[in-house]
Amino acid sequence: MNILALDTATDVASAAVLRDDMVLHEESFNYNKRHSQIVVPMIKHVLEWVDMAIADIDLWAVDIGPGSFTGLRIGCATIKALAHVTDKPIAAVTSLDILAEGAALPDHPIYPLIDAQQQNVYTARYIWSNGHMHRQSDYMIMHLYQLKKSLMNEVPVVFTGPAVSVYRDDLQRDFQGDAILMPDYRCVPMASIAGILGNHIAQVGDLKNYITLLPFYMRKSQAEIRAGV
């Protein structure tokens, strides 16, 4: 099965083409351009590198969030349009699942962290066991103080995700030697992992289409809060 995966949930945009669980080609972009400027050219480029056209794609996979509201809208809208044109299904993958899969350290609870502003983070608890990542909590929004308090009896833990870069000093101070902080280059959700998880979602049949796909925001945007929506 040919899969094209897209991730625009954070400042880093990436696109990947996979055949089942094998990554054929992936590109990422983290420079002074907006996702709206680079996503379509990047999709065209990754397809060209593997001699494919959109008609060759059997499954579209996309990071639905949580993350950047604008980035999620761009990613979901792009994949919805491609799925509509090709009449192919969509695998909706959460950014927290992608980040946890990328950490994959056995014997330690894994908490991916995405900045939700004002020292709040999106997170969930994961355990790597028997060759698979297992989510063991609901998706949550927590303040850093609440996170520290809730994990006092669970250390050591692994933290990954873009909020590790934002709050690295706070996490090192609060957890000292009781936390493993993934390096920055491992803290970004990537399209290749979204594609691998999307393939697993397809195997169990839990797919979306261009009508039913929705971003996973988890909270209102600042604009909606200010407007009282």
Side-chain angles (χ1 to χ4, degrees):
M1 178 166 60
N2 294 329
I3 304 167
L4 190 140
L6 181 65
D7 198 307
T8 57
T10 67
D11 290 341
V12 180
S14 60
V17 180
L18 301 88
R19 182 161 293 133
D20 298 324
D21 279 354
M22 179 181 294
V23 181
L24 302 181
H25 185 65
E26 181 173 32
E27 294 183 8
S28 63
F29 199 93
N30 184 19
Y31 191 58
N32 190 25
K33 286 189 178 180
R34 297 179 180 178
H35 289 355
S36 58
Q37 296 174 286
I38 62 172
V39 164
V40 172
M42 189 161 55
I43 289 173
K44 287 183 62 178
H45 199 232
V46 295
L47 287 170
E48 288 171 357
W49 268 103
V50 296
D51 298 320
M52 289 188 192
I54 61 170
D56 298 313
I57 299 301
D58 303 303
L59 175 70
W60 305 96
V62 63
D63 183 342
I64 59 169
S68 159
F69 284 76
T70 301
L72 296 176
R73 283 193 290 269
I74 291 169
C76 287
T78 302
I79 292 298
K80 282 163 74 85
L82 291 167
H84 189 188
V85 168
T86 58
D87 195 27
K88 295 294 173 63
I90 304 168
V93 191
T94 73
S95 49
L96 294 171
D97 289 357
I98 295 167
L99 288 165
E101 189 76 19
L105 292 179
D107 304 323
H108 297 296
I110 298 168
Y111 286 85
L113 306 178
I114 297 175
D115 190 17
Q117 301 185 343
Q118 299 179 336
Q119 291 204 314
N120 294 299
V121 292
Y122 304 109
T123 191
R125 185 184 194 273
Y126 297 80
I127 287 287
W128 178 264
S129 176
N130 297 321
H132 298 282
M133 189 64 68
H134 303 273
R135 180 166 58 87
Q136 297 189 320
S137 76
D138 292 334
Y139 300 113
M140 303 174 285
I141 303 177
M142 300 181 73
H143 192 275
L144 286 180
Y145 175 78
Q146 183 185 5
L147 179 69
K148 174 188 174 183
K149 189 175 179 181
S150 68
L151 298 183
M152 289 301 292
N153 297 321
E154 196 174 13
V155 293
V157 296
V158 177
F159 291 123
T160 186
V164 170
S165 303
V166 178
Y167 299 118
R168 187 173 292 274
D169 290 344
D170 300 273
L171 294 168
Q172 288 176 333
R173 181 195 65 232
D174 291 344
F175 290 92
Q176 298 183 14
D178 291 327
I180 299 169
L181 306 183
M182 300 297 285
D184 289 349
Y185 69 89
R186 293 280 301 276
C187 287
V188 178
M190 295 299 293
S192 54
I193 299 178
I196 291 168
L197 294 178
N199 184 36
H200 299 171
I201 290 171
Q203 290 173 12
V204 299
D206 188 17
L207 296 172
K208 307 294 184 183
N209 59 41
Y210 74 93
I211 296 173
T212 58
L213 178 73
L214 294 171
F216 182 44
Y217 292 133
M218 287 188 67
R219 68 171 181 85
K220 294 182 179 180
S221 68
Q222 289 298 312
E224 289 173 321
I225 293 171
R226 287 193 296 269
V229 176

